[in-house]
Amino acid sequence: MDTEIRQHEEALRIAMLTSDVEALESLIANDLIFVGPSGDVLHRQDDLSLHRSGRQKLTLAEWRSVEISAQGQAAVTSVTAELAGTFDGAAFAGHFRYCRFWVKTASGWQVLGGSVIALPSA
């Protein structure tokens, strides 16, 4: 299962980097609850519309480490990432940590919940 989750994390990274909404639709569960770096709660349509509208555009998304804890039809990942891009026209760059909750659905592995925080500069 570890390999499967790593493959899905990589597919998610590429979909985020390229704003591939079709791929994101397949990777994000309908009932997504995600806490963004500002503390705002986002749902599936919020996340997808950030990519559709171009409000969020990544120019760099590199996963530095991926830790996985899996049991049955669920997994939790902790991903340390280097990100750069724009959000609402403002440039950003830095190190971030994602925590994601993956579940195996009839459609395959999907992110049901998660959060992201900015990490302090080294």
Side-chain angles (χ1 to χ4, degrees), residues 70-89:
Q71 189 169 38
Q73 302 296 301
V76 177
T77 59
S78 174
V79 177
T80 304
E82 184 175 346
L83 303 176
T86 57
F87 186 83
D88 282 341

Side-chain angles (χ1 to χ4, degrees), residues 25-101:
E25 285 175 331
S26 72
L27 292 164
I28 298 173
N30 289 335
D31 296 334
L32 174 76
I33 297 175
F34 190 87
V35 179
S38 66
D40 292 339
V41 175
L42 302 170
H43 299 278
R44 183 176 194 256
Q45 289 309 316
D46 301 321
D47 190 285
L48 295 175
S49 74
L50 284 174
H51 290 277
R52 271 192 196 102
S53 67
R55 285 185 57 213
Q56 176 178 289
K57 181 66 180 153
L58 295 176
T59 56
L60 174 70
E62 292 185 10
W63 288 183
R64 298 296 185 196
S65 69
V66 178
E67 286 185 63
I68 300 168
S69 178
Q71 189 169 38
Q73 302 296 301
V76 177
T77 59
S78 174
V79 177
T80 304
E82 184 175 346
L83 303 176
T86 57
F87 186 83
D88 282 341
F92 72 89
H95 297 345
F96 295 82
R97 177 161 297 127
Y98 289 93
C99 180
R100 283 194 267 268
F101 304 94

